[in-house]
Every structure is written in C-alpha cells, then in structure tokens.
Amino acid sequence: MAPQKLTDYERKRLENIRRNDEMMAALKLHSKATQLSNFKRPRVGTKSYNMKSEKKPKTETPIVIRRSLRTRGIPPDSKGLDGDSVGPTTPRKTEPSVVSLGRISMADARESDHSDSFFVESLMGMAQLKAQYASVEKGKVEASLGLEALYLDPENIARVVPGRITSARFFPSSSVKMIAVGNTFGNVGFWNVGQSEVHLYRPHRAPISGILIQPHCLSKIYTSCYDGILRLMDAEKEIFDLVFESDESIFALSQPTNETNCLYLAEGSGGLTIWDNRIGKRMSHWVLHESRINTIDFNCKNPHIAATSSTDGTACTWDLRYTDGDKLTALRTFTHKRSVQSAYFSPSGCSLATTSLDNTIAIYSGVNMEDAAVINHNNQTGRWLSTFSRAKWGWDDSYLFVGNLKRGVDVVSAVQRKMVMTLESQHMSAIPCRFDTHSYEVGMLAGATSGGQVYIWTSR
DNA sequence: TGTATGGTTACTCAG
DNA sequence: CTGAGTCCACCATACA
C-alpha cells in the first residue's frame, strides 16, 4: 500500500530533517534536565526512556507463555493461555487491531516519545561502516584484563526498558558502544552508552528470550520471544518483520560466528531448530533434551560444535555435522543436580562453563573437556529476578562474571578455580542478572537488572 | 507424560 | 525512608 513515487523519497528526507530538528531541541531540553537531576543523589540512573504518554506498561496484557498449544487443541493463532481458564474452550481473546501478527512498523512499535530518526539513520550508517571496514574487524579481541581496573562510572547507568530485563547484547562494533536489551513485556530498548537518550520499542508481547545482531550488518537484529515469534528488525525498512512463528515458546536464539544464513533456536520442550533464512524454512529439528533448552552456544574455533544447557539438569556438546538419521548424539553430557541455566564456551574454545541452580559453576577443560572444576556459588534467584545463574566469560579464558544477590558482580577465576573478587559500586542499586561483554572493548561489561537498568563497567 | 501446586523473594512507587 | 503490592518466572514435587 506504500505509495512509491520519486517524490516519496524527497518527502521522507524533508520529514527526516524536520524530525531531526525536533530531536535536537528535545536533546537540549533533555540534557538540561539531566544536569539538574544530577544534583540529587544518583539513586538510579538519571538516563531513561520517556514513554509516549498514551502507552503505559502497567496496563499490559498478562505475559503469555506458549506451552504446546497444539496438543491442547487451541488454535495456533490464539493469544494463548489466559490465566486460569485453561482448555480447548478458551475463547480467542481478541485485542484491538494493534496486534498485527505480521510485520510491524518501527513507528508503531515505538514507545519512547522522542524521535528515533537519527537513531535509525545511525544504525544504517553503522551498517555501512561495517561493510567498509569488515576486514579490519574480522577477529574479536582476545586480551587479558586487570580486574582492579574495572569500575562503574555513574554516567554509564541507564534505565533502558521498564520491568525485568531478560536479554542484553552489545552491538558487535569497534566504533560504537551501543547495547540492546529485551524485557518480559516484549520491549526492546537501545542505548548508546553514556548518552542520555534511550530508544524503546515493543515488537513483542511476551518475554524476549534472545537478541541477535547480525555482525556484518548492524541494522538487522533478530529477536526471539516466549510467544514463539521470531522477528527481524530492519532499520533500513523501518520494520520489525515476522520471520517465523512457532506453536511453542522460543527460549534461546543463537548463531555461529561467520554463519549468516541459519538461525538456531531453542524451541519448546528440549527442541533445537535450525531455521534457514534463504528458503524460509526449518532446516532441522531435533529434540535434544527432556526439558527446555536455556542456552545455545557455539565453539568459535569449531563452529559446527554447539553446547546446549537445559532445565533437565544437563549440558551437552554436539557436532551438528553428524546426524544419525534424524537423531543427533551428544559428544559429551555434563550433569548437574538441578536445572542448568547456561553452558558457554570460553573465548579460546578450549573450556566450557556451566551454571546451574544446584548452586555450582563448573568449568570443563582438557582435550575432551574431561577435566572438571566445580565452584560453589549461590545461584538462587527468586520469583522477581531473572535467573542470573549464567556465568559469562570475559575477553579471554581467565575470568567468568556472574550475578551476586548482594548487588555485585562475582568474578570467578578459571585458572585458580575459585571466586576471586566481587565488583561492587555504590551506584549499583539493583542486582545484575544478565551480562554481556563488548567484543571489541576489553573491560566493557554490561550488567542488566530486573528493574530495567543497565550498568556498564569499563576498564580505567 | 502431563498438570496442578507450592516456594522462592527484589523492585517500584505511593505516602 | 518505609511498607504495601507486585503477581503469572521458574523449578521441584506430588499425583493422576
């Protein structure tokens, strides 16, 4: 339906110029406000999204988790389970036409009240830069880090989304320090670290389980959701496109480095699905675990080797090249006493770290990962926190970062096989549950909380 | 194999 | 600063 005449381009340009002017005005006001509020005690970050006045997060529809609707005879396009009324007779809950199952324009999904035209353009600019200097940025940095140099600058704190953060990812760019986070409401927020503005969208209606920024094209960002929907944000087209819709929840989203055509999703109870973008179809689907897969990670040295962690109490490694018919056999299985929240390969690919609700972090190394080091760590999060039991590797094989209930970041040394310190700051007023490390900026560590804040630690 | 139930417990906001 | 309200995550257990 979009009118496509030559004048359309010009009209759009003018519109952009106008919106930029508005934004500059807004920015000036905003920075004034920030300066003023900085005189108060910095209880929480002064940086924050500003909601469009007509959209408030409080009156959200309840969070919906897909649970094998097919087996319950509920139509796949139903909005799912609605509170206690569980069963085939559940009437379709019709929301106003706002809920579009297909593509959503970024304008419709936008919830921050300021213009995002500059942000959208900068995304495309980054994408172009990226293509230009692709060769320069080929290799990720691998460098050791002095822990004592890590500190939290109060400028590097922002409330990026409302509610509880479930997913956080830095842009894989050496020129930009931008982070994207997702929350339980289905919001995705973007923050250029240190700046005062945050851009907030709502492309989903349930918890975001994964964010995947295409390394070769930063303006294309995949998001997966508990409601079973996989979207692609395309800044160029200014849409959140619908890529794939499952009957079951998607719990994780991943991609090996250098792979561009396929997406790897944790689907339903124990399912691993490979989605092929070229043909728009499931390429493979296996049930690898007895319960949900919490993380999918790839070995950077051998990208066909994957590690999964699952609520069934195990983590497994797989060689995705070798399928025995429709079956896939684990290379190795690592068992915990309770649910395993994460299994991540170290930056070198030589070690695997698992984190479990049995209050341990295990580090496996050696030729066949047969050498296990088990470190005790309190991984219990209650009802109100995202499970922070996801120890994340730093920039080399020496340290892991994991949340601490006392508002800190515990640092585990893989060499010493123990916790060596806790990063603490008076500015950190909430518990960091989810972490991400900046690929190109050694020491830049993001901790995301259940209150929507993001804390960026940097190296002094 | 599936479902219903109980337990955990941090953050925000109003006053 | 204090305390009420949030609420529907997630897992483990019990039971059909």
Side-chain angles (χ1 to χ4, degrees), chain A residues 19 21 42 54 59 64 82 100 111 125 154 226 245 251 273 291 304 355 363 382 385 421 429 433 437 444 455:
Chain A
R19 288 199 296 191
D21 287 346
E54 73 271 21
T59 50
V64 167
D82 194 357
S100 141
E111 292 201 338
Y226 277 26
E245 185 172 11
F251 292 112
T273 300
S291 188
H304 49 272
T355 313
I363 302 171
L385 283 183
M421 73 174 291
S429 62
C433 304
T437 51
M444 185 169 266
Y455 297 92

Side-chain angles (χ1 to χ4, degrees), chain A residues 2 15 212 258 341 441:
Chain A
E15 165 79 349
L212 192 63
N258 299 329
Q341 291 300 323
E441 198 75 25

Side-chain angles (χ1 to χ4, degrees), chain A residues 42-193:
Chain A
R43 190 176 147 265
V44 179
T46 49
K47 305 177 174 88
S48 171
Y49 54 87
N50 294 319
M51 300 290 280
K52 276 184 187 168
S53 51
E54 73 271 21
K55 288 180 181 177
K56 290 280 188 300
K58 270 291 146 60
T59 50
E60 297 311 339
T61 50
I63 289 163
V64 167
I65 298 181
R66 292 219 169 174
R67 237 177 270 174
S68 191
L69 296 180
R70 203 170 21 194
T71 56
R72 295 174 180 220
I74 301 172
D77 59 346
S78 155
K79 275 317 284 177
L81 310 177
D82 194 357
D84 25 343
S85 59
V86 174
T89 51
T90 305
R92 161 127 192 211
K93 192 182 173 190
T94 42
E95 283 191 50
S97 57
V98 185
V99 178
S100 141
L101 287 174
R103 69 177 51 175
I104 303 172
S105 75
M106 284 177 67
D108 284 346
R110 201 177 92 219
E111 292 201 338
S112 39
D113 62 359
H114 45 265
S115 163
D116 64 350
S117 56
F118 186 74
F119 165 67
V120 170
E121 277 179 24
S122 67
L123 279 183
M124 288 189 290
M126 281 159 61
Q128 279 165 13
L129 261 178
K130 195 75 188 179
Q132 227 172 320
Y133 297 106
S135 53
V136 182
E137 296 188 334
K138 263 280 160 55
K140 279 188 183 177
V141 285
E142 259 186 50
S144 49
L145 163 81
L147 286 179
E148 58 287 344
L150 284 178
Y151 81 115
L152 178 62
D153 184 339
E155 280 295 299
N156 292 342
I157 300 171
R159 190 183 302 274
V160 182
V161 289
R164 189 184 317 176
I165 294 174
T166 50
S167 191
R169 193 108 311 172
F170 275 114
F171 278 59
S173 162
S174 59
S175 53
V176 160
K177 279 110 197 159
M178 175 105 72
I179 191 164
V181 303
N183 70 0
T184 51
F185 301 140
N187 289 114
V188 177
F190 296 90
W191 180 41
N192 207 340
V193 177

Side-chain angles (χ1 to χ4, degrees), chain A residues 425-437:
Chain A
S425 163
Q426 54 165 346
H427 299 110
M428 200 153 71
S429 62
I431 296 168
C433 304
R434 296 291 157 93
F435 295 92
D436 197 32
T437 51

Side-chain angles (χ1 to χ4, degrees), chain A residues 13 45 83 95 103 145 157 196 216 218 221 245 289 291 294 305 340 357 377 381 397 428 443 448:
Chain A
R13 244 181 69 87
E95 283 191 50
R103 69 177 51 175
L145 163 81
I157 300 171
S196 58
H216 61 285
L218 302 177
I221 299 165
E245 185 172 11
H289 286 275
S291 188
N294 294 309
I305 304 288
V340 186
L357 285 181
H377 185 267
T381 48
D397 283 21
M428 200 153 71

